[in-house]
Amino acid sequence: MSAFLGLDKSTLSGLISRAERRGLLTRGTSPEDKRAVVVLITDAGRDLIERLYAQGREELAPATDRLDPHQRHELARLLEPLLSPPLPLTPRRPAGRTGALDG
């Protein structure tokens, strides 16, 4: 997961720990591999996502309200593949690393 997000494992672990302390996530053991840790969203985490989504819609409303219905539909159609899960499971480059020589 850290490679997918382009983060160091320690950074990702710290972010998960903070979210867990806030009650947004919980950790558990994988039923398939007892050594693996699974991270699950809590009801409080889902509530936060819903609030952020609503806030984002509210913030974008002045711009999207200028579009006619056909343009709004077209914008939504174009954004759908970018914003809808599941995201591709390809690793991202860590910040600051570019070029073909990175390994």
Side-chain angles (χ1 to χ4, degrees):
M1 179 58 93
S2 61
F4 172 73
L5 296 172
L7 300 172
D8 293 330
K9 287 182 183 180
S10 62
T11 301
L12 183 59
S13 181
L15 290 170
I16 291 170
S17 292
R18 283 188 8 218
E20 188 176 27
R21 283 192 300 274
R22 292 179 61 198
L24 304 173
L25 300 174
T26 186
R27 296 182 209 218
T29 305
S30 169
E32 292 88 27
D33 182 352
K34 299 297 182 196
R35 299 168 295 171
V37 174
V38 294
V39 178
L40 304 168
I41 192 166
T42 63
D43 288 341
R46 279 190 197 85
D47 291 344
L48 177 61
I49 289 171
E50 289 174 14
R51 287 194 315 270
L52 291 173
Y53 182 77
Q55 181 181 349
R57 287 178 60 112
E58 186 178 315
E59 295 287 332
L60 290 172
T64 57
D65 287 349
R66 295 186 315 204
L67 302 174
D68 66 45
H70 174 72
Q71 291 171 319
R72 278 195 298 275
H73 176 76
E74 186 65 9
L75 178 61
R77 186 186 69 75
L78 292 168
L79 290 173
E80 172 84 27
L82 299 175
L83 302 176
S84 296
L87 296 172
L89 294 176
T90 55
R92 288 180 36 193
R93 293 187 189 283
R97 296 189 66 186
T98 59
L101 299 177
D102 292 340

